[in-house]
mmCIF file of all heavy atoms in Angstrom:
data_model
loop_
_atom_site.group_PDB
_atom_site.id
_atom_site.type_symbol
_atom_site.label_atom_id
_atom_site.label_comp_id
_atom_site.label_asym_id
_atom_site.label_seq_id
_atom_site.Cartn_x
_atom_site.Cartn_y
_atom_site.Cartn_z
ATOM 1 N N PHE A 71 -60.110 -64.764 47.376
ATOM 2 C CA PHE A 71 -59.401 -64.923 46.117
ATOM 3 C C PHE A 71 -60.354 -64.473 45.018
ATOM 4 O O PHE A 71 -61.345 -65.134 44.755
ATOM 5 C CB PHE A 71 -59.033 -66.405 45.941
ATOM 6 C CG PHE A 71 -57.723 -66.631 45.260
ATOM 7 C CD1 PHE A 71 -56.873 -67.647 45.696
ATOM 8 C CD2 PHE A 71 -57.343 -65.856 44.184
ATOM 9 C CE1 PHE A 71 -55.655 -67.865 45.070
ATOM 10 C CE2 PHE A 71 -56.136 -66.071 43.552
ATOM 11 C CZ PHE A 71 -55.294 -67.078 44.000
ATOM 12 N N VAL A 72 -60.060 -63.330 44.416
ATOM 13 C CA VAL A 72 -60.995 -62.760 43.441
ATOM 14 C C VAL A 72 -61.298 -63.747 42.316
ATOM 15 O O VAL A 72 -62.417 -63.838 41.836
ATOM 16 C CB VAL A 72 -60.423 -61.452 42.862
ATOM 17 C CG1 VAL A 72 -61.287 -60.948 41.732
ATOM 18 C CG2 VAL A 72 -60.323 -60.407 43.940
ATOM 19 N N GLY A 73 -60.285 -64.523 41.919
ATOM 20 C CA GLY A 73 -60.469 -65.457 40.813
ATOM 21 C C GLY A 73 -61.327 -66.663 41.162
ATOM 22 O O GLY A 73 -61.760 -67.396 40.284
ATOM 23 N N PRO A 75 -64.521 -66.976 43.205
ATOM 24 C CA PRO A 75 -65.581 -66.444 44.064
ATOM 25 C C PRO A 75 -66.296 -67.529 44.860
ATOM 26 O O PRO A 75 -66.784 -67.266 45.948
ATOM 27 C CB PRO A 75 -66.540 -65.766 43.081
ATOM 28 C CG PRO A 75 -65.953 -65.886 41.740
ATOM 29 C CD PRO A 75 -64.786 -66.795 41.788
ATOM 30 N N LYS A 76 -66.317 -68.774 44.340
ATOM 31 C CA LYS A 76 -67.045 -69.821 45.061
ATOM 32 C C LYS A 76 -66.363 -70.173 46.384
ATOM 33 O O LYS A 76 -66.951 -70.807 47.238
ATOM 34 C CB LYS A 76 -67.208 -71.063 44.184
ATOM 35 C CG LYS A 76 -65.899 -71.700 43.787
ATOM 36 C CD LYS A 76 -66.118 -72.950 42.940
ATOM 37 C CE LYS A 76 -64.774 -73.458 42.447
ATOM 38 N NZ LYS A 76 -64.881 -74.659 41.633
ATOM 39 N N LEU A 77 -65.118 -69.714 46.514
ATOM 40 C CA LEU A 77 -64.406 -69.910 47.770
ATOM 41 C C LEU A 77 -65.049 -69.091 48.879
ATOM 42 O O LEU A 77 -64.883 -69.384 50.057
ATOM 43 C CB LEU A 77 -62.951 -69.457 47.583
ATOM 44 C CG LEU A 77 -61.850 -70.111 48.395
ATOM 45 C CD1 LEU A 77 -61.752 -71.572 48.053
ATOM 46 C CD2 LEU A 77 -60.523 -69.428 48.083
ATOM 47 N N ALA A 95 -40.909 -66.611 48.710
ATOM 48 C CA ALA A 95 -40.863 -65.327 47.990
ATOM 49 C C ALA A 95 -40.950 -64.168 48.979
ATOM 50 O O ALA A 95 -40.281 -63.148 48.818
ATOM 51 C CB ALA A 95 -41.996 -65.256 46.976
ATOM 52 N N ASP A 160 -28.419 -50.631 28.839
ATOM 53 C CA ASP A 160 -27.257 -51.366 28.330
ATOM 54 C C ASP A 160 -26.736 -50.804 27.009
ATOM 55 O O ASP A 160 -25.583 -51.019 26.671
ATOM 56 C CB ASP A 160 -27.627 -52.837 28.141
ATOM 57 C CG ASP A 160 -28.779 -53.005 27.181
ATOM 58 O OD1 ASP A 160 -29.891 -52.553 27.508
ATOM 59 O OD2 ASP A 160 -28.573 -53.566 26.097
ATOM 60 N N GLN A 161 -27.588 -50.090 26.241
ATOM 61 C CA GLN A 161 -27.140 -49.652 24.914
ATOM 62 C C GLN A 161 -26.842 -48.168 24.815
ATOM 63 O O GLN A 161 -25.881 -47.773 24.185
ATOM 64 C CB GLN A 161 -28.203 -49.998 23.877
ATOM 65 C CG GLN A 161 -28.296 -51.457 23.619
ATOM 66 C CD GLN A 161 -29.200 -51.679 22.441
ATOM 67 O OE1 GLN A 161 -28.816 -51.485 21.289
ATOM 68 N NE2 GLN A 161 -30.425 -52.052 22.713
ATOM 69 N N VAL A 174 -18.365 -49.754 22.380
ATOM 70 C CA VAL A 174 -19.703 -50.272 22.683
ATOM 71 C C VAL A 174 -19.692 -51.757 23.040
ATOM 72 O O VAL A 174 -20.600 -52.238 23.711
ATOM 73 C CB VAL A 174 -20.679 -50.037 21.513
ATOM 74 C CG1 VAL A 174 -21.126 -48.600 21.466
ATOM 75 C CG2 VAL A 174 -20.065 -50.448 20.198
ATOM 76 N N THR A 175 -18.664 -52.476 22.609
ATOM 77 C CA THR A 175 -18.645 -53.904 22.928
ATOM 78 C C THR A 175 -18.384 -54.144 24.409
ATOM 79 O O THR A 175 -18.653 -55.219 24.924
ATOM 80 C CB THR A 175 -17.570 -54.640 22.105
ATOM 81 O OG1 THR A 175 -16.378 -53.845 22.130
ATOM 82 C CG2 THR A 175 -18.007 -54.843 20.672
ATOM 83 N N PRO A 179 -24.656 -54.555 30.729
ATOM 84 C CA PRO A 179 -26.094 -54.517 31.028
ATOM 85 C C PRO A 179 -26.306 -54.519 32.545
ATOM 86 O O PRO A 179 -26.579 -55.557 33.142
ATOM 87 C CB PRO A 179 -26.633 -55.793 30.380
ATOM 88 C CG PRO A 179 -25.472 -56.722 30.342
ATOM 89 C CD PRO A 179 -24.214 -55.894 30.307
ATOM 90 N N LEU A 181 -28.503 -53.650 34.791
ATOM 91 C CA LEU A 181 -29.701 -54.135 35.496
ATOM 92 C C LEU A 181 -29.937 -55.635 35.282
ATOM 93 O O LEU A 181 -30.885 -56.193 35.806
ATOM 94 C CB LEU A 181 -30.924 -53.330 35.065
ATOM 95 C CG LEU A 181 -30.917 -51.874 35.552
ATOM 96 C CD1 LEU A 181 -31.996 -51.061 34.867
ATOM 97 C CD2 LEU A 181 -31.097 -51.825 37.068
ATOM 98 N N ALA A 182 -29.066 -56.293 34.511
ATOM 99 C CA ALA A 182 -29.235 -57.722 34.279
ATOM 100 C C ALA A 182 -28.501 -58.567 35.327
ATOM 101 O O ALA A 182 -28.624 -59.781 35.327
ATOM 102 C CB ALA A 182 -28.744 -58.088 32.881
ATOM 103 N N TYR A 183 -27.722 -57.909 36.202
ATOM 104 C CA TYR A 183 -27.016 -58.648 37.253
ATOM 105 C C TYR A 183 -27.738 -58.415 38.579
ATOM 106 O O TYR A 183 -27.937 -57.251 38.976
ATOM 107 C CB TYR A 183 -25.569 -58.181 37.366
ATOM 108 C CG TYR A 183 -24.752 -58.498 36.139
ATOM 109 C CD1 TYR A 183 -24.629 -57.582 35.109
ATOM 110 C CD2 TYR A 183 -24.126 -59.737 36.015
ATOM 111 C CE1 TYR A 183 -23.899 -57.880 33.970
ATOM 112 C CE2 TYR A 183 -23.394 -60.041 34.879
ATOM 113 C CZ TYR A 183 -23.279 -59.112 33.867
ATOM 114 O OH TYR A 183 -22.561 -59.425 32.743
ATOM 115 N N GLY A 270 -37.147 -57.930 39.359
ATOM 116 C CA GLY A 270 -36.122 -58.807 38.813
ATOM 117 C C GLY A 270 -34.745 -58.196 38.869
ATOM 118 O O GLY A 270 -34.592 -57.121 39.427
ATOM 119 N N PRO A 271 -33.723 -58.806 38.309
ATOM 120 C CA PRO A 271 -33.763 -60.181 37.785
ATOM 121 C C PRO A 271 -33.674 -61.218 38.910
ATOM 122 O O PRO A 271 -32.964 -60.996 39.880
ATOM 123 C CB PRO A 271 -32.505 -60.245 36.913
ATOM 124 C CG PRO A 271 -31.581 -59.225 37.497
ATOM 125 C CD PRO A 271 -32.428 -58.158 38.114
ATOM 126 N N GLY A 272 -34.419 -62.271 38.747
ATOM 127 C CA GLY A 272 -34.380 -63.354 39.731
ATOM 128 C C GLY A 272 -34.759 -62.907 41.132
ATOM 129 O O GLY A 272 -34.151 -63.349 42.098
ATOM 130 N N ASP A 273 -35.761 -62.020 41.255
ATOM 131 C CA ASP A 273 -36.245 -61.573 42.563
ATOM 132 C C ASP A 273 -35.214 -60.763 43.345
ATOM 133 O O ASP A 273 -35.393 -60.524 44.535
ATOM 134 C CB ASP A 273 -36.699 -62.761 43.429
ATOM 135 C CG ASP A 273 -38.204 -62.952 43.354
ATOM 136 O OD1 ASP A 273 -38.853 -62.178 42.632
ATOM 137 O OD2 ASP A 273 -38.725 -63.866 44.014
ATOM 138 N N TYR A 281 -44.222 -56.849 46.457
ATOM 139 C CA TYR A 281 -44.773 -58.203 46.554
ATOM 140 C C TYR A 281 -46.225 -58.129 47.020
ATOM 141 O O TYR A 281 -47.098 -58.815 46.483
ATOM 142 C CB TYR A 281 -43.920 -59.036 47.514
ATOM 143 C CG TYR A 281 -44.346 -60.482 47.589
ATOM 144 C CD1 TYR A 281 -44.409 -61.258 46.449
ATOM 145 C CD2 TYR A 281 -44.689 -61.065 48.806
ATOM 146 C CE1 TYR A 281 -44.804 -62.580 46.510
ATOM 147 C CE2 TYR A 281 -45.076 -62.379 48.882
ATOM 148 C CZ TYR A 281 -45.144 -63.134 47.731
ATOM 149 O OH TYR A 281 -45.541 -64.435 47.800
ATOM 150 N N TYR A 283 -48.222 -55.608 46.666
ATOM 151 C CA TYR A 283 -49.008 -55.029 45.569
ATOM 152 C C TYR A 283 -49.364 -56.096 44.537
ATOM 153 O O TYR A 283 -50.505 -56.218 44.101
ATOM 154 C CB TYR A 283 -48.211 -53.894 44.909
ATOM 155 C CG TYR A 283 -48.758 -53.461 43.575
ATOM 156 C CD1 TYR A 283 -49.805 -52.553 43.490
ATOM 157 C CD2 TYR A 283 -48.238 -53.989 42.394
ATOM 158 C CE1 TYR A 283 -50.321 -52.175 42.266
ATOM 159 C CE2 TYR A 283 -48.749 -53.615 41.167
ATOM 160 C CZ TYR A 283 -49.791 -52.712 41.104
ATOM 161 O OH TYR A 283 -50.301 -52.353 39.882
ATOM 162 N N GLN A 284 -48.346 -56.879 44.156
ATOM 163 C CA GLN A 284 -48.594 -57.934 43.165
ATOM 164 C C GLN A 284 -49.655 -58.913 43.659
ATOM 165 O O GLN A 284 -50.543 -59.319 42.920
ATOM 166 C CB GLN A 284 -47.306 -58.713 42.896
ATOM 167 C CG GLN A 284 -46.296 -57.951 42.060
ATOM 168 C CD GLN A 284 -45.123 -58.839 41.686
ATOM 169 O OE1 GLN A 284 -44.658 -59.636 42.501
ATOM 170 N NE2 GLN A 284 -44.640 -58.710 40.476
ATOM 171 N N LEU A 286 -52.002 -58.458 45.956
ATOM 172 C CA LEU A 286 -53.329 -57.858 46.088
ATOM 173 C C LEU A 286 -53.925 -57.514 44.733
ATOM 174 O O LEU A 286 -55.045 -57.883 44.424
ATOM 175 C CB LEU A 286 -53.203 -56.569 46.896
ATOM 176 C CG LEU A 286 -53.717 -56.599 48.323
ATOM 177 C CD1 LEU A 286 -53.297 -55.345 49.053
ATOM 178 C CD2 LEU A 286 -55.223 -56.712 48.317
ATOM 179 N N PHE A 287 -53.181 -56.761 43.926
ATOM 180 C CA PHE A 287 -53.788 -56.162 42.746
ATOM 181 C C PHE A 287 -53.700 -57.042 41.509
ATOM 182 O O PHE A 287 -54.605 -57.046 40.697
ATOM 183 C CB PHE A 287 -53.161 -54.794 42.468
ATOM 184 C CG PHE A 287 -53.542 -53.780 43.501
ATOM 185 C CD1 PHE A 287 -52.752 -53.580 44.610
ATOM 186 C CD2 PHE A 287 -54.721 -53.066 43.372
ATOM 187 C CE1 PHE A 287 -53.116 -52.659 45.574
ATOM 188 C CE2 PHE A 287 -55.093 -52.152 44.339
ATOM 189 C CZ PHE A 287 -54.290 -51.946 45.442
ATOM 190 N N THR A 288 -52.593 -57.763 41.333
ATOM 191 C CA THR A 288 -52.500 -58.586 40.132
ATOM 192 C C THR A 288 -53.104 -59.964 40.373
ATOM 193 O O THR A 288 -53.872 -60.463 39.577
ATOM 194 C CB THR A 288 -51.040 -58.727 39.675
ATOM 195 O OG1 THR A 288 -50.439 -57.432 39.655
ATOM 196 C CG2 THR A 288 -50.961 -59.326 38.293
ATOM 197 N N GLU A 289 -52.736 -60.582 41.516
ATOM 198 C CA GLU A 289 -53.201 -61.940 41.755
ATOM 199 C C GLU A 289 -54.617 -61.963 42.324
ATOM 200 O O GLU A 289 -55.283 -62.987 42.273
ATOM 201 C CB GLU A 289 -52.251 -62.657 42.716
ATOM 202 C CG GLU A 289 -50.834 -62.761 42.164
ATOM 203 C CD GLU A 289 -49.906 -63.520 43.090
ATOM 204 O OE1 GLU A 289 -50.380 -64.057 44.103
ATOM 205 O OE2 GLU A 289 -48.700 -63.555 42.807
ATOM 206 N N HIS B 112 -54.063 -54.740 33.479
ATOM 207 C CA HIS B 112 -54.886 -55.691 34.236
ATOM 208 C C HIS B 112 -55.201 -55.136 35.617
ATOM 209 O O HIS B 112 -56.346 -55.165 36.077
ATOM 210 C CB HIS B 112 -54.129 -57.021 34.363
ATOM 211 C CG HIS B 112 -54.748 -58.010 35.306
ATOM 212 N ND1 HIS B 112 -54.428 -58.046 36.646
ATOM 213 C CD2 HIS B 112 -55.668 -58.985 35.111
ATOM 214 C CE1 HIS B 112 -55.119 -59.017 37.221
ATOM 215 N NE2 HIS B 112 -55.880 -59.595 36.318
ATOM 216 N N ASP B 113 -54.167 -54.602 36.294
ATOM 217 C CA ASP B 113 -54.353 -54.144 37.664
ATOM 218 C C ASP B 113 -55.317 -52.972 37.715
ATOM 219 O O ASP B 113 -56.172 -52.888 38.598
ATOM 220 C CB ASP B 113 -53.006 -53.759 38.278
ATOM 221 C CG ASP B 113 -52.090 -54.971 38.346
ATOM 222 O OD1 ASP B 113 -52.566 -56.084 38.063
ATOM 223 O OD2 ASP B 113 -50.898 -54.803 38.655
ATOM 224 N N GLN B 117 -59.199 -53.425 39.195
ATOM 225 C CA GLN B 117 -59.519 -52.586 40.346
ATOM 226 C C GLN B 117 -60.893 -51.944 40.149
ATOM 227 O O GLN B 117 -61.704 -51.894 41.062
ATOM 228 C CB GLN B 117 -58.424 -51.516 40.503
ATOM 229 C CG GLN B 117 -58.435 -50.798 41.818
ATOM 230 C CD GLN B 117 -58.299 -51.743 42.995
ATOM 231 O OE1 GLN B 117 -57.845 -52.885 42.858
ATOM 232 N NE2 GLN B 117 -58.733 -51.319 44.156
ATOM 233 N N ALA B 141 -64.752 -66.299 35.945
ATOM 234 C CA ALA B 141 -65.045 -66.806 37.286
ATOM 235 C C ALA B 141 -65.450 -65.681 38.224
ATOM 236 O O ALA B 141 -66.339 -65.852 39.065
ATOM 237 C CB ALA B 141 -63.832 -67.551 37.839
ATOM 238 N N ALA B 142 -64.815 -64.532 38.089
ATOM 239 C CA ALA B 142 -65.130 -63.427 38.991
ATOM 240 C C ALA B 142 -66.428 -62.725 38.591
ATOM 241 O O ALA B 142 -66.917 -61.874 39.323
ATOM 242 C CB ALA B 142 -63.980 -62.418 39.006
ATOM 243 N N TRP B 144 -66.902 -60.720 35.950
ATOM 244 C CA TRP B 144 -66.659 -59.349 35.501
ATOM 245 C C TRP B 144 -67.066 -59.141 34.045
ATOM 246 O O TRP B 144 -67.331 -58.024 33.642
ATOM 247 C CB TRP B 144 -65.179 -58.993 35.639
ATOM 248 C CG TRP B 144 -64.718 -58.892 37.052
ATOM 249 C CD1 TRP B 144 -65.483 -58.547 38.131
ATOM 250 C CD2 TRP B 144 -63.396 -59.125 37.543
ATOM 251 N NE1 TRP B 144 -64.720 -58.551 39.268
ATOM 252 C CE2 TRP B 144 -63.432 -58.894 38.937
ATOM 253 C CE3 TRP B 144 -62.199 -59.488 36.947
ATOM 254 C CZ2 TRP B 144 -62.305 -59.023 39.740
ATOM 255 C CZ3 TRP B 144 -61.078 -59.621 37.746
ATOM 256 C CH2 TRP B 144 -61.129 -59.393 39.126
ATOM 257 N N PRO B 223 -19.450 -55.061 15.391
ATOM 258 C CA PRO B 223 -18.967 -55.751 16.601
ATOM 259 C C PRO B 223 -20.046 -55.981 17.653
ATOM 260 O O PRO B 223 -19.875 -56.821 18.531
ATOM 261 C CB PRO B 223 -17.887 -54.800 17.133
ATOM 262 C CG PRO B 223 -18.145 -53.490 16.496
ATOM 263 C CD PRO B 223 -18.818 -53.769 15.194
ATOM 264 N N THR B 224 -21.164 -55.237 17.590
ATOM 265 C CA THR B 224 -22.193 -55.447 18.614
ATOM 266 C C THR B 224 -23.255 -56.444 18.168
ATOM 267 O O THR B 224 -24.236 -56.653 18.873
ATOM 268 C CB THR B 224 -22.897 -54.117 18.968
ATOM 269 O OG1 THR B 224 -23.285 -53.487 17.755
ATOM 270 C CG2 THR B 224 -21.988 -53.204 19.759
ATOM 271 N N GLN B 234 -38.118 -60.228 34.124
ATOM 272 C CA GLN B 234 -39.067 -60.865 35.035
ATOM 273 C C GLN B 234 -40.429 -60.188 34.866
ATOM 274 O O GLN B 234 -40.747 -59.217 35.538
ATOM 275 C CB GLN B 234 -38.580 -60.737 36.484
ATOM 276 C CG GLN B 234 -39.421 -61.539 37.473
ATOM 277 C CD GLN B 234 -38.767 -61.649 38.840
ATOM 278 O OE1 GLN B 234 -37.617 -61.294 39.027
ATOM 279 N NE2 GLN B 234 -39.501 -62.149 39.817
ATOM 280 N N ARG B 286 -26.583 -60.632 27.718
ATOM 281 C CA ARG B 286 -27.173 -60.797 29.038
ATOM 282 C C ARG B 286 -28.240 -59.725 29.296
ATOM 283 O O ARG B 286 -29.145 -59.901 30.109
ATOM 284 C CB ARG B 286 -26.077 -60.723 30.109
ATOM 285 C CG ARG B 286 -26.609 -61.115 31.474
ATOM 286 C CD ARG B 286 -25.590 -61.101 32.583
ATOM 287 N NE ARG B 286 -26.298 -61.194 33.854
ATOM 288 C CZ ARG B 286 -26.479 -62.310 34.536
ATOM 289 N NH1 ARG B 286 -25.983 -63.432 34.100
ATOM 290 N NH2 ARG B 286 -27.171 -62.313 35.662
ATOM 291 N N ALA B 287 -28.108 -58.612 28.551
ATOM 292 C CA ALA B 287 -29.083 -57.528 28.687
ATOM 293 C C ALA B 287 -30.506 -58.006 28.410
ATOM 294 O O ALA B 287 -31.462 -57.372 28.843
ATOM 295 C CB ALA B 287 -28.734 -56.387 27.750
ATOM 296 N N LEU B 289 -32.049 -60.066 29.837
ATOM 297 C CA LEU B 289 -32.720 -60.255 31.126
ATOM 298 C C LEU B 289 -33.466 -58.995 31.559
ATOM 299 O O LEU B 289 -34.210 -59.020 32.538
ATOM 300 C CB LEU B 289 -31.711 -60.635 32.221
ATOM 301 C CG LEU B 289 -31.084 -62.014 32.119
ATOM 302 C CD1 LEU B 289 -30.076 -62.223 33.240
ATOM 303 C CD2 LEU B 289 -32.154 -63.089 32.188
ATOM 304 N N THR B 290 -33.222 -57.880 30.864
ATOM 305 C CA THR B 290 -33.939 -56.641 31.196
ATOM 306 C C THR B 290 -34.889 -56.235 30.072
ATOM 307 O O THR B 290 -35.460 -55.167 30.116
ATOM 308 C CB THR B 290 -32.953 -55.480 31.435
ATOM 309 O OG1 THR B 290 -32.297 -55.177 30.194
ATOM 310 C CG2 THR B 290 -31.910 -55.827 32.462
ATOM 311 N N TYR B 291 -35.042 -57.086 29.057
ATOM 312 C CA TYR B 291 -35.817 -56.686 27.880
ATOM 313 C C TYR B 291 -37.260 -57.155 27.931
ATOM 314 O O TYR B 291 -37.543 -58.322 28.182
ATOM 315 C CB TYR B 291 -35.194 -57.273 26.607
ATOM 316 C CG TYR B 291 -33.894 -56.638 26.173
ATOM 317 C CD1 TYR B 291 -33.148 -57.210 25.150
ATOM 318 C CD2 TYR B 291 -33.410 -55.484 26.770
ATOM 319 C CE1 TYR B 291 -31.953 -56.652 24.731
ATOM 320 C CE2 TYR B 291 -32.219 -54.916 26.360
ATOM 321 C CZ TYR B 291 -31.497 -55.507 25.347
ATOM 322 O OH TYR B 291 -30.313 -54.950 24.943
ATOM 323 N N VAL B 299 -33.230 -53.554 19.499
ATOM 324 C CA VAL B 299 -31.938 -54.164 19.175
ATOM 325 C C VAL B 299 -31.953 -54.724 17.755
ATOM 326 O O VAL B 299 -31.028 -54.519 16.966
ATOM 327 C CB VAL B 299 -31.617 -55.294 20.194
ATOM 328 C CG1 VAL B 299 -30.428 -56.119 19.737
ATOM 329 C CG2 VAL B 299 -31.372 -54.710 21.564
ATOM 330 N N GLN B 302 -32.118 -52.014 14.986
ATOM 331 C CA GLN B 302 -30.846 -51.330 14.764
ATOM 332 C C GLN B 302 -29.814 -52.236 14.103
ATOM 333 O O GLN B 302 -28.657 -51.848 13.938
ATOM 334 C CB GLN B 302 -30.277 -50.831 16.099
ATOM 335 C CG GLN B 302 -31.053 -49.670 16.684
ATOM 336 C CD GLN B 302 -30.741 -49.475 18.141
ATOM 337 O OE1 GLN B 302 -29.637 -49.757 18.587
ATOM 338 N NE2 GLN B 302 -31.702 -49.012 18.900
ATOM 339 N N PRO B 423 -58.499 -69.612 36.519
ATOM 340 C CA PRO B 423 -58.885 -68.329 37.119
ATOM 341 C C PRO B 423 -57.821 -67.773 38.059
ATOM 342 O O PRO B 423 -57.870 -66.600 38.401
ATOM 343 C CB PRO B 423 -60.185 -68.643 37.864
ATOM 344 C CG PRO B 423 -60.336 -70.101 37.868
ATOM 345 C CD PRO B 423 -59.452 -70.681 36.817
ATOM 346 N N VAL B 424 -56.871 -68.610 38.477
ATOM 347 C CA VAL B 424 -55.799 -68.100 39.337
ATOM 348 C C VAL B 424 -54.518 -67.883 38.527
ATOM 349 O O VAL B 424 -53.434 -67.799 39.095
ATOM 350 C CB VAL B 424 -55.530 -69.027 40.547
ATOM 351 C CG1 VAL B 424 -56.745 -69.079 41.443
ATOM 352 C CG2 VAL B 424 -55.132 -70.420 40.107
ATOM 353 N N PRO B 426 -53.039 -65.316 37.183
ATOM 354 C CA PRO B 426 -52.088 -64.265 37.577
ATOM 355 C C PRO B 426 -51.142 -64.718 38.688
ATOM 356 O O PRO B 426 -49.958 -64.384 38.668
ATOM 357 C CB PRO B 426 -52.992 -63.119 38.041
ATOM 358 C CG PRO B 426 -54.254 -63.308 37.271
ATOM 359 C CD PRO B 426 -54.429 -64.797 37.161
ATOM 360 N N ALA B 427 -51.656 -65.502 39.636
ATOM 361 C CA ALA B 427 -50.795 -65.992 40.717
ATOM 362 C C ALA B 427 -49.840 -67.064 40.195
ATOM 363 O O ALA B 427 -48.661 -67.104 40.550
ATOM 364 C CB ALA B 427 -51.650 -66.531 41.863
ATOM 365 N N HIS B 430 -46.996 -65.400 38.373
ATOM 366 C CA HIS B 430 -45.953 -64.837 39.224
ATOM 367 C C HIS B 430 -44.969 -65.904 39.679
ATOM 368 O O HIS B 430 -43.757 -65.678 39.721
ATOM 369 C CB HIS B 430 -46.568 -64.153 40.442
ATOM 370 C CG HIS B 430 -46.968 -62.738 40.145
ATOM 371 N ND1 HIS B 430 -48.009 -62.116 40.769
ATOM 372 C CD2 HIS B 430 -46.457 -61.846 39.268
ATOM 373 C CE1 HIS B 430 -48.121 -60.882 40.290
ATOM 374 N NE2 HIS B 430 -47.200 -60.700 39.382
ATOM 375 N N ARG B 434 -41.033 -65.889 38.610
ATOM 376 C CA ARG B 434 -40.009 -65.927 39.646
ATOM 377 C C ARG B 434 -39.039 -67.080 39.370
ATOM 378 O O ARG B 434 -37.824 -66.918 39.396
ATOM 379 C CB ARG B 434 -40.727 -66.143 40.980
ATOM 380 C CG ARG B 434 -39.933 -65.824 42.178
ATOM 381 C CD ARG B 434 -40.864 -65.727 43.375
ATOM 382 N NE ARG B 434 -41.671 -64.521 43.319
ATOM 383 C CZ ARG B 434 -42.962 -64.455 43.668
ATOM 384 N NH1 ARG B 434 -43.584 -65.541 44.099
ATOM 385 N NH2 ARG B 434 -43.618 -63.327 43.586
ATOM 386 N N SER B 437 -36.973 -66.436 36.044
ATOM 387 C CA SER B 437 -36.008 -65.355 36.178
ATOM 388 C C SER B 437 -34.860 -65.771 37.095
ATOM 389 O O SER B 437 -33.691 -65.481 36.827
ATOM 390 C CB SER B 437 -36.690 -64.098 36.705
ATOM 391 O OG SER B 437 -35.797 -63.017 36.675
ATOM 392 N N ARG B 438 -35.190 -66.464 38.187
ATOM 393 C CA ARG B 438 -34.129 -66.943 39.078
ATOM 394 C C ARG B 438 -33.249 -67.958 38.350
ATOM 395 O O ARG B 438 -32.023 -67.931 38.467
ATOM 396 C CB ARG B 438 -34.735 -67.564 40.339
ATOM 397 C CG ARG B 438 -35.303 -66.521 41.300
ATOM 398 C CD ARG B 438 -36.097 -67.170 42.420
ATOM 399 N NE ARG B 438 -35.291 -68.044 43.262
ATOM 400 C CZ ARG B 438 -34.520 -67.615 44.254
ATOM 401 N NH1 ARG B 438 -34.481 -66.329 44.532
ATOM 402 N NH2 ARG B 438 -33.824 -68.459 44.975
ATOM 403 N N THR B 465 -58.683 -74.102 43.220
ATOM 404 C CA THR B 465 -59.803 -73.871 42.313
ATOM 405 C C THR B 465 -60.713 -75.093 42.236
ATOM 406 O O THR B 465 -61.844 -74.992 41.798
ATOM 407 C CB THR B 465 -59.316 -73.559 40.884
ATOM 408 O OG1 THR B 465 -58.577 -74.693 40.408
ATOM 409 C CG2 THR B 465 -58.425 -72.347 40.852
ATOM 410 N N ALA B 468 -62.747 -75.922 46.276
ATOM 411 C CA ALA B 468 -63.639 -74.940 46.907
ATOM 412 C C ALA B 468 -65.017 -75.552 47.122
ATOM 413 O O ALA B 468 -65.477 -76.336 46.289
ATOM 414 C CB ALA B 468 -63.742 -73.722 46.010
#
Side-chain angles (χ1 to χ4, degrees):
Chain A
F71 215 140
V72 173
K76 62 179 174 180
L77 209 63
D160 59 295
Q161 289 189 77
V174 284
T175 44
L181 291 168
Y183 294 92
D273 262 1
Y281 185 56
Y283 166 83
Q284 286 187 320
L286 254 170
F287 291 92
T288 312
E289 299 182 6
Chain B
H112 170 270
D113 297 352
Q117 194 58 20
W144 292 332
T224 49
Q234 188 168 350
R286 189 179 167 97
L289 290 178
T290 66
Y291 288 171
V299 169
Q302 289 163 31
V424 296
H430 275 150
R434 197 165 288 141
S437 187
R438 286 170 62 82
T465 61

